[in-house]
Amino acid sequence: MRKLISTLALIVMTGISQAQGMPPEVARLVSAVSSVKGTTQVEIEKTYLPDVKVSDFSLPGASADLPIAALRRSKGALLDEQLLSIHFRIERNETGLKALEFLSWWVRDQSRGGETMQIRSMGLPPMIGDQKQLGSTLRFTIDWFYAGKSRNMQEVLAAMDAKAKELELAVKLYAAAF
């Protein structure tokens, strides 16, 4: 199953630092999300969805993090559809909640404008054996179902750069809200 998950870039950053060796478009999108005050640990992952089978949704591991309900509803992926997952965590305070609210609004606005995006939360089981996990595994992801010429990586990177620019503008326009 792990082979099915094709990673464009998996970047873990806790600030707006540059990602070494990553395409500038990917680094820019990570930086844009990281620039929302209250976000932490931003990661971007790309999955080629036609390789994912509906029967795999019950498997543990990478398939468990996919937007299962959306994919079940459509009985799988569109032709050549990529899932660009923008994972992030938030600070455990009011600033983090404002970051989550801001990104939730931004994704909603993007969806209303025609982008196939959603935001959702993810958590792991409350306990594994004797080890308590509850309260320490919560993260969020922006699911961007990209169905352009998704095998053309230059097009995907250009789309990521454009999204980064849009988010940078929104952060700048609404800076007073924070």
Side-chain angles (χ1 to χ4, degrees):
M1 181 64 200
R2 191 157 194 79
K3 190 174 181 182
L4 295 177
I5 303 302
S6 158
T7 302
L8 169 67
L10 184 59
I11 310 164
V12 178
M13 298 170 57
T14 58
I16 305 176
S17 60
Q18 285 294 338
Q20 297 295 326
M22 291 298 134
E25 301 88 349
V26 175
R28 185 174 190 178
L29 185 54
V30 168
S31 291
V33 175
S34 297
S35 76
V36 177
K37 190 176 177 183
T39 59
T40 66
Q41 299 178 350
V42 179
E43 303 172 359
I44 297 179
E45 189 173 32
K46 178 186 73 70
T47 305
Y48 184 67
L49 290 174
D51 287 345
V52 179
K53 295 178 180 70
V54 174
S55 60
D56 292 339
F57 293 161
S58 62
L59 298 174
S63 62
D65 287 346
L66 293 172
I68 295 169
L71 292 171
R72 271 194 206 281
R73 188 166 192 235
S74 61
K75 296 180 178 49
L78 301 177
L79 182 65
D80 282 337
E81 186 175 36
Q82 302 280 350
L83 174 63
L84 302 173
S85 301
I86 306 166
H87 305 294
F88 64 95
R89 293 179 186 265
I90 60 170
E91 294 175 7
R92 296 171 62 125
N93 55 30
E94 185 175 343
T95 303
L97 290 175
K98 285 181 179 179
L100 180 58
E101 185 175 354
F102 180 83
L103 287 169
S104 295
W105 160 78
W106 184 75
V107 168
R108 176 179 177 258
D109 198 56
Q110 292 290 308
S111 294
R112 292 180 68 222
E115 288 293 347
T116 311
M117 285 184 150
Q118 66 181 16
I119 191 167
R120 62 191 171 90
S121 60
M122 291 188 286
L124 295 177
M127 295 190 70
I128 298 282
D130 293 340
Q131 182 182 1
K132 179 182 168 188
Q133 297 188 123
L134 189 62
S136 64
T137 68
L138 182 64
R139 70 177 177 157
F140 303 91
T141 190
I142 298 169
D143 295 318
W144 180 10
F145 297 90
Y146 184 79
K149 296 177 185 172
S150 64
R151 294 219 181 219
N152 179 342
M153 287 315 301
Q154 288 308 110
E155 183 180 307
V156 175
L157 290 170
M160 292 175 81
D161 194 55
K163 266 316 146 223
K165 288 177 188 175
E166 292 173 22
L167 182 54
E168 290 165 352
L169 178 61
V171 169
K172 185 176 181 180
L173 286 173
Y174 294 102
F178 290 93

